[in-house]
Amino acid sequence: QVQLVESGGGLVQAGGSLRLSCAASRTIFSISAMGWYRQAPGKQRELVAFITRSGAANYADSVKGRFTISRDNAKNTVYLQMNSLKPEDTAVYYCNARIEVFGALKNEYWGQGTQVTVSS
């Protein structure tokens, strides 16, 4: 089991920055990938970014160049630095952890979500 706790959400003006944190209840060193998803009202949950155990990062096209995902294995924490925020970034942001075995998903965990609101 892995418990994930997000923090760092809030209200910010367009063009501003926020940094989200996701603290895991156990070491993330062995977790295959950790990521951030978001869900805006009336929309499906979408992938924002993820980072693999080796440190490779991938981003949704909508956030490339503005968001940066990173992980600190010593602190069991994953971060999402969000710069140049836009009103369309407004959503609940969820942390996700995937444990894969030989490429197949074995377990998946979610945090409770943190609200990000960007005002125009």
Side-chain angles (χ1 to χ4, degrees):
Q1 281 284 348
V2 180
Q3 280 77 48
L4 304 172
V5 179
E6 302 101 333
S7 61
L11 173 64
V12 65
Q13 287 188 331
S17 298
L18 284 174
R19 188 176 80 156
L20 304 183
S21 299
C22 172
S25 60
R26 45 156 274 197
T27 178
I28 64 172
F29 181 77
S30 60
I31 294 178
S32 305
M34 295 194 69
W36 290 93
Y37 287 71
R38 67 186 181 187
Q39 187 167 19
K43 294 188 177 181
Q44 288 189 330
R45 190 173 297 188
E46 63 175 359
L47 176 66
V48 175
F50 72 88
I51 185 166
T52 66
R53 184 167 55 190
S54 64
N58 287 270
Y59 300 91
D61 288 342
S62 59
V63 306
K64 280 181 182 176
R66 300 189 297 122
F67 291 10
T68 302
I69 189 170
S70 61
R71 59 193 290 167
D72 185 335
N73 290 339
K75 295 183 178 180
N76 300 331
T77 301
V78 173
Y79 304 97
L80 185 68
Q81 178 66 44
M82 306 185 294
N83 299 328
S84 303
L85 282 161
K86 304 175 181 180
E88 50 263 44
D89 295 318
T90 295
V92 178
Y93 283 70
Y94 297 90
C95 183
N96 171 271
R98 294 171 59 90
I99 298 176
E100 298 176 353
V101 178
F102 299 113
L105 178 65
K106 180 180 180 182
N107 285 303
E108 187 170 35
Y109 303 95
W110 294 91
Q112 82 286 353
T114 185
Q115 177 70 46
V116 171
T117 303
V118 184
S119 64
S120 58

